[in-house]
Amino acid sequence: MRTDSEQTIYLKDYAPTPYRIVSVDLDFRILEDGTRVRAQLTIEPRAETAPGTPLVLDGDELKLDSIAIDGAPLVLSAYVADANSLTIVEPPNRRFVLDTQVTLQPEANTRLMGLYRSSGTWCTQCEPEGFRRITYYLDRPDILAPFKVRMTAPVAVAPVLLANGNPIDRGDAGDGLHYAVWEDPFPKPAYLFALVAGDLGAITDSFTTMSGRKVDLAIYCTHGKEGECHYAMDSLKRSMAWDERRFGREYDLDIFNIVAVSDFNFGAMENKGLNIFNDRLVFAKPETATDANYHGIERVIAHEYFHNWTGNRITCRDWFQLCLKEGLTVYRDQEFTSDERSRPVQRIHDVQNLRTSQFPEDGGPLAHPPRPDHYREINNFYTTTVYEKGAEIVRMLATLLGEVDFRKGMDLYFERHDGEATTIEAFIKVFEDATGTDLGQFITWYLQAGTPQVEVSDSFDAASQTYTLTLSQKVDPTPGQPDKQSLLIPVRFGLIGPNGNAMSWSGVSGGTVRDDLILLDKDSVTLTFTGVANKPVPSLFRGFSAPVKLRSSLTQDDLLFLARHDSDPFNRWDALQTVSTNLIAEAAQGRRWTAAQADALRQALIDTLDNPELDPAFKAQAIAIPAETALGRHIGKDVDPDAIARARHDFVTTLVGPMADQLEARYDALTVPEPYSPDAAQAGRRSLRNGLLTLLTAGSDRGAALAASQYEAASNMTDRYAAMAISAHYWTDEAQALLGDFRTRFAGDPLVFDKWLTASAQAPDDGVIERMRAILAAPDFPRTNPNRLRSLLGSFVMSNPTQFARADGAGFRFVTEAVAEIDKVNPQVASRVLTGFRILPTLEAGRRDAGRAALDALKAQHTLSRNVGEILDRILA
Ligand code: 0A1
Ligand code: ZN
């Protein structure tokens, strides 16, 4: 049973609205017992609109208090208002002002869409369809208008009044109230609207743009947290400078504000001139934030800032085009971090993330193209496919075109589409027009779901010095897309000779090869290289030049050869990962590794650790053993998570045993300079040290005690958290004591509580579900806060495979029961947790059935939101 409608929206039905909104005047009277919103919308019919065409505005849970056109109240027969829309039956056939009033209850808004309160602060979240929860409006991204906003609120509770754009007036409003007026000169879609009213502290700074304009910067936060906002401010200034240098993009207003709030559905939001952030992506100090937290802050501050050009100045025509702004902006933030930190380390990090979250989405029941063509609930499409695969597509475009031509295309994009709401087709067209390249086949990446599998075979003929390389591609069917077209896949490559050096060739035929780039543009391409002196080892997809799964015929010896000699750091790392993945996955399926195989990998790891030319952050990534979840994905079907966990444990024990002394000596010797700094060099050393600790804990009996003493001695959260999380993950004898200590040591800090929840949820012992039930049932558990819920439940479903996918179904039932409760409060959080069930098709039959039974029970027993209903139906289909 559902209450929400199950209507599907199709891209093919896109049509402009019959009316446009010329300008928006909003007046908010914000009081403790409710907020009154008066909207004066200047509206006009489009030239082609037939006189008398009804005007239908969106609403969501709104109640209309009054309505007038050009000052005259409307008679009852002139409009129809319900919770979801407002129809003006016969609007004037000319420009007019529609004047409506509604009253909102932000306090009761637990969905955190529209206007809500977070720790007493009034704030908004409008993307994608939250503005319709504030006032009746044409709430779609192709309606752009300039906004003027007046806010009145009690000065004692809300001394700070912020909205988009520039402040133009403020003053006393009597009765303990004050007001502020903000004006945003840039026409914008309603999803970029924001306001904040509250009692907040701030840090301020300024940035001088490349044309010499001074921009005032501020980060607002709960009083007392100002000292934890400096890294975010520093990241902001570096982002502003980088976008000027790298893309020639200058900030356009005189003021840029960021507000940190505790209750927020996602990471952050790029509202014009007034970004609103989940406070976990703003606050940082060494005692409570990890290196990963600092990294995340830098990335997301940059991401939201970069949206000012890719998203705000140029926005999306409709929500199907979401990856137009998101894929491009993720690409930009990845590039920023690569330039600021280590490019190879960042690339490995991003690819690991893609493989961990996007590949399983793309290979399961929730697969959809980066540009989908239908949806029931748009909030379910803020996915890793739209974001991260979207970024990979832009990266491939940059690879195919080269740096100079890519920049030419981007320049044309900004020039041609500034101020518009546009499409993926228009984005691709600028690159065609700027460079004269035909991208007709390339656009398929946006339209087709599924991860391509690329199969490789090769042969060498010594007599003729000829090397033959065959690459073929295939994409499995995905929901609604049984037949796939071949894609244009850029393959960056090199051939490596027996001495480890790059090899050259005198000629190549059979396909397109430009320098170090092969264009795989058909189902299969066979290249013949002539003048090749010796049998080479091919290094393919260097830098992960395309988001594909590679199935090569390279032997373990070849892979370890690449791990030692490839000039491409990404492929060195990937080769080591492939070797351990293969050995563990085969063992989980009953084919145990040989001693020689384990010895060879061990030696390669030691050589990597000893290589003075490699950076510690890279070494940390290189020695990591693939997670159980990654191994499950590699196996892909009939997965038994317990068998994988056992195989992984046995393998790590085999691997680490003979080198435990060496690892421990390196762990002891690895020093990190004091005082703490979150910079990449220091963070890299810490990650290597904690990587060594992980190996020692996973594969020997030495790690547990080392972890316990590291926990005690730690002078920063990175080391303390790592010690606790490793202990919990491998469920050492000390784990429970460390978790208990951590809980009390940091009691009262909600962001550190999240860390405790995450580590607790990853414990693999049979008691974990009961402990999580107790955590959720505690009277003081903040059950409406997305960060708390996600830290516990999100971590459990995504990274505790043996307990989530327990054979008795207890893990599945725990999650579906929690989802049913959360759905009543916040459907977005509920549906996100539920996506963890996408692994069901990969599991062995017993577990699969247990998972489906839990989902069936969820579907049968509860009144579900559209968000949860859509995800359920897609997984059960
Ligand atoms: N545009 C934001 C993502 C975002 C989407 C929805 C939100 O609330 C439901 C919040 C943020 C980004 O890409 O950062
Ligand atoms: Zn974004």
Side-chain angles (χ1 to χ4, degrees):
M1 274 295 291
R2 300 255 153 72
T3 49
D4 280 321
S5 88
E6 292 184 17
Q7 202 192 341
T8 300
I9 321 261
Y10 293 93
L11 169 59
K12 65 178 167 44
D13 294 338
Y14 173 83
T17 53
Y19 295 85
R20 55 183 284 271
I21 298 181
V22 179
S23 63
V24 180
D25 228 305
L26 299 172
D27 185 1
F28 289 81
R29 197 174 167 81
I30 301 171
L31 299 173
E32 289 288 352
D33 61 353
T35 295
R36 195 220 55 209
V37 185
R38 178 176 179 195
Q40 290 169 281
L41 309 180
T42 303
I43 299 179
E44 68 182 19
R46 294 191 196 275
E48 59 279 14
T49 300
T53 305
L55 164 64
V56 184
L57 302 172
D58 304 297
D60 183 6
E61 295 185 349
L62 292 180
K63 206 180 103 355
L64 186 65
D65 296 336
S66 73
I67 179 166
I69 286 185
D70 292 338
L74 292 195
V75 296
L76 274 178
S77 60
Y79 67 94
V80 182
D82 61 30
N84 298 317
S85 64
L86 168 63
T87 304
I88 312 296
V89 181
E90 202 170 334
N93 189 30
R94 53 169 167 77
R95 187 176 280 208
F96 61 94
V97 176
L98 174 68
D99 189 338
T100 62
Q101 274 195 38
V102 296
T103 305
L104 311 175
Q105 297 301 332
E107 204 88 44
N109 182 358
T110 60
R111 296 183 164 220
L112 314 184
M113 289 295 285
L115 179 66
Y116 64 95
R117 282 187 95 169
S118 175
S119 308
T121 298
W122 284 271
C123 62
T124 55
Q125 171 54 39
C126 293
E127 184 179 8
E129 297 180 337
F131 194 69
R132 64 185 63 187
R133 294 167 62 79
I134 294 176
T135 191
Y136 289 104
Y137 199 76
L138 293 173
D139 188 10
R140 35 189 280 171
D142 61 346
I143 296 292
L144 278 71
F147 281 57
K148 189 167 160 194
V149 180
R150 181 187 179 90
M151 312 155 68
T152 307
V155 70
V157 200
V160 174
L161 300 175
L162 307 171
N164 314 94
N166 300 310
I168 55 170
D169 190 14
R170 65 179 301 153
D172 185 60
D175 290 337
L177 304 176
H178 70 148
Y179 73 92
V181 182
W182 290 74
E183 192 167 46
D184 182 359
F186 291 95
K188 66 168 175 290
Y191 83 85
L192 291 173
F193 166 81
L195 72 73
V196 171
D199 186 2
L200 300 167
I203 64 165
T204 58
D205 207 326
S206 70
F207 177 82
T208 303
T209 70
M210 59 190 187
S211 70
R213 264 186 322 102
K214 180 165 169 270
V215 181
D216 290 324
L217 311 175
I219 302 184
Y220 290 86
C221 60
T222 324
H223 287 291
K225 285 286 196 179
E226 295 85 347
E228 296 190 40
C229 298
H230 294 291
Y231 190 74
M233 181 65 88
D234 177 59
S235 304
L236 174 61
K237 291 197 290 181
R238 286 186 284 120
S239 307
M240 295 176 88
W242 183 88
D243 214 12
E244 294 186 345
R245 272 199 318 273
R246 179 76 187 266
F247 283 99
R249 296 296 108 198
E250 186 177 5
Y251 186 63
D252 49 11
L253 288 162
D254 298 332
I255 180 166
F256 188 82
N257 287 325
I258 291 176
V259 181
V261 300
S262 315
D263 302 86
F264 199 77
N265 277 347
F266 279 75
M269 179 63 210
E270 70 263 24
N271 317 299
K272 183 78 187 187
L274 177 56
N275 289 0
I276 297 183
F277 269 66
N278 189 322
D279 60 9
R280 76 181 167 83
L281 289 161
V282 175
F283 298 153
K285 62 174 194 285
E287 309 83 72
T288 55
T290 61
D291 292 332
N293 295 143
Y294 281 94
H295 189 193
I297 290 168
E298 177 183 77
R299 188 181 83 75
V300 180
I301 290 274
H303 179 96
E304 305 309 329
Y305 174 73
F306 297 153
H307 267 314
N308 191 53
W309 275 97
T310 51
N312 301 3
R313 293 286 290 248
I314 306 180
T315 191
C316 302
R317 187 193 71 174
D318 52 71
W319 289 125
F320 295 104
Q321 319 295 331
L322 184 59
C323 72
L324 175 71
K325 74 177 177 83
E326 295 305 347
L328 179 54
T329 305
V330 171
Y331 170 76
R332 279 153 50 72
D333 81 54
Q334 290 177 347
E335 282 299 290
F336 166 73
T337 319
S338 302
D339 286 347
E340 296 284 303
R341 296 172 175 239
S342 149
R343 181 165 285 272
V345 169
Q346 183 61 27
R347 187 64 186 140
I348 292 168
H349 182 272
D350 291 335
V351 173
Q352 235 172 347
N353 180 31
L354 188 83
R355 286 176 172 163
T356 305
S357 52
Q358 201 276 328
F359 279 17
E361 179 166 275
D362 227 358
L366 299 178
H368 56 275
R371 190 185 63 191
D373 57 11
H374 65 281
Y375 61 77
R376 260 159 60 188
E377 171 52 64
I378 186 56
N379 276 295
N380 286 335
F381 284 82
Y382 285 77
T383 61
T384 172
T385 296
V386 167
Y387 276 67
E388 276 78 28
K389 187 168 181 177
E392 291 300 317
I393 299 176
V394 177
R395 183 172 300 282
M396 284 190 285
L397 200 52
T399 301
L400 285 165
L401 298 175
E403 205 175 316
V404 172
D405 276 3
F406 178 73
R407 174 67 195 267
K408 273 192 205 153
M410 286 300 296
D411 287 349
L412 182 59
Y413 180 61
F414 294 124
E415 187 188 314
R416 187 182 280 178
H417 295 291
D418 188 14
E420 289 180 4
T422 192
T423 59
I424 288 296
E425 281 79 3
F427 177 66
I428 291 298
K429 183 101 182 10
V430 295
F431 293 96
E432 293 192 319
D433 292 354
T435 68
T437 313
D438 177 355
L439 294 168
Q441 185 186 13
F442 183 78
I443 200 169
T444 310
W445 278 105
Y446 281 107
L447 315 180
Q448 193 164 278
T451 307
Q453 292 168 42
V454 174
E455 194 88 54
V456 184
S457 58
D458 64 350
S459 62
F460 179 68
D461 182 50
S464 60
Q465 300 210 326
T466 303
Y467 175 66
T468 310
L469 181 67
T470 299
L471 299 164
S472 10
Q473 55 168 306
K474 162 169 127 2
V475 186
D476 285 338
T478 53
Q481 287 189 333
D483 303 313
K484 303 291 185 179
Q485 294 171 29
S486 57
L487 295 155
L488 173 56
I489 301 178
V491 188
R492 242 190 224 301
F493 81 113
L495 303 181
I496 305 176
N499 57 1
N501 292 336
M503 286 181 84
S504 57
W505 51 90
S506 54
V508 56
S509 60
T512 314
V513 179
R514 292 192 325 236
D515 302 325
D516 63 347
L517 197 62
I518 299 169
L519 302 189
L520 172 55
D521 53 359
K522 299 187 204 55
D523 284 352
S524 184
V525 167
T526 296
L527 298 168
T528 305
F529 296 85
T530 50
V532 180
N534 295 294
K535 181 178 181 347
V537 177
S539 168
L540 300 171
F541 291 98
R542 283 183 159 170
F544 200 67
S545 61
V548 303
K549 288 185 184 164
L550 177 62
R551 299 214 182 269
S552 79
S553 51
L554 295 186
T555 61
Q556 174 167 327
D557 283 350
D558 291 336
L559 289 165
L560 294 181
F561 175 82
L562 288 180
R564 287 201 170 81
H565 300 294
D566 203 324
S567 58
D568 180 60
F570 177 85
N571 273 1
R572 285 175 88 141
W573 168 81
D574 207 27
L576 288 172
Q577 296 297 307
T578 305
V579 170
S580 35
T581 301
N582 289 344
L583 295 180
I584 304 173
E586 291 197 1
Q589 295 165 293
R591 291 181 301 277
R592 197 180 158 87
W593 58 85
T594 64
Q597 285 174 314
D599 291 347
L601 176 59
R602 187 182 310 110
Q603 194 54 49
L605 294 181
I606 291 173
D607 292 349
T608 303
L609 284 169
D610 285 346
N611 187 335
E613 280 165 23
L614 298 173
D615 129 33
F618 174 85
K619 291 182 186 179
Q621 291 168 320
I623 63 167
I625 303 299
E628 289 165 29
T629 44
L631 295 161
R633 284 193 303 278
H634 177 82
I635 296 173
K637 62 178 196 310
D638 294 325
V639 168
D640 171 354
D642 294 325
I644 292 178
R646 278 193 303 272
R648 184 177 187 274
H649 176 260
D650 289 352
F651 180 73
V652 182
T653 309
T654 306
L655 194 69
V656 168
M659 63 172 170
D661 286 343
Q662 284 157 286
L663 295 182
E664 190 173 347
R666 283 176 178 78
Y667 171 85
D668 289 337
L670 194 78
T671 53
V672 183
E674 297 273 356
Y676 175 92
S677 151
D679 66 59
Q682 260 200 28
R685 296 179 74 82
R686 276 187 290 272
S687 67
L688 177 54
R689 198 153 184 272
N690 288 320
L692 293 164
L693 183 62
T694 305
L695 281 183
L696 286 164
T697 311
S700 79
D701 49 14
R702 322 232 181 137
L706 287 177
S709 28
Q710 173 169 321
Y711 176 88
E712 282 306 327
S715 62
N716 60 72
M717 180 53 84
T718 305
D719 290 332
R720 196 183 304 279
Y721 178 71
M724 175 183 70
I726 293 167
S727 304
H729 187 84
Y730 293 100
W731 206 236
T732 65
D733 291 345
E734 292 82 356
Q736 256 174 320
L738 298 187
L739 283 164
D741 179 84
F742 191 88
R743 178 81 198 265
T744 42
R745 194 188 282 250
F746 297 101
D749 185 326
L751 297 178
V752 185
F753 183 48
D754 286 342
K755 295 181 166 60
W756 180 81
L757 292 169
T758 297
S760 300
Q762 290 177 3
D765 71 307
D766 281 341
V768 66
I769 293 173
E770 273 323 302
R771 291 197 301 275
M772 287 195 298
R773 280 192 193 280
I775 290 170
L776 283 176
D780 58 346
F781 185 82
R783 45 186 48 72
T784 59
N785 180 281
N787 289 1
R788 302 305 91 79
L789 293 166
R790 265 199 300 264
S791 296
L792 189 75
L793 294 160
S795 310
F796 181 66
V797 297
M798 294 303 177
S799 31
N800 194 342
T802 50
Q803 288 295 327
F804 172 51
R806 269 165 68 137
D808 64 4
F812 297 133
R813 285 192 298 278
F814 164 68
V815 175
T816 50
E817 286 162 22
V819 164
E821 287 306 309
I822 298 168
D823 195 33
K824 295 175 198 157
V825 176
N826 188 328
Q828 286 188 33
V829 173
S831 72
R832 230 151 233 263
V833 170
L834 195 64
T835 60
F837 280 84
R838 68 185 180 202
I839 59 159
L840 288 189
T842 65
L843 297 176
E844 53 82 21
R847 286 175 169 83
R848 200 161 58 221
D849 291 347
R852 288 187 78 92
L855 293 180
D856 285 336
L858 176 65
K859 193 171 160 103
Q861 285 176 20
H862 301 279
T863 302
L864 301 170
S865 66
R866 187 163 63 209
N867 308 56
V868 164
E870 180 184 24
I871 297 293
L872 249 187
D873 288 347
R874 283 161 62 197
I875 295 179
L876 285 171

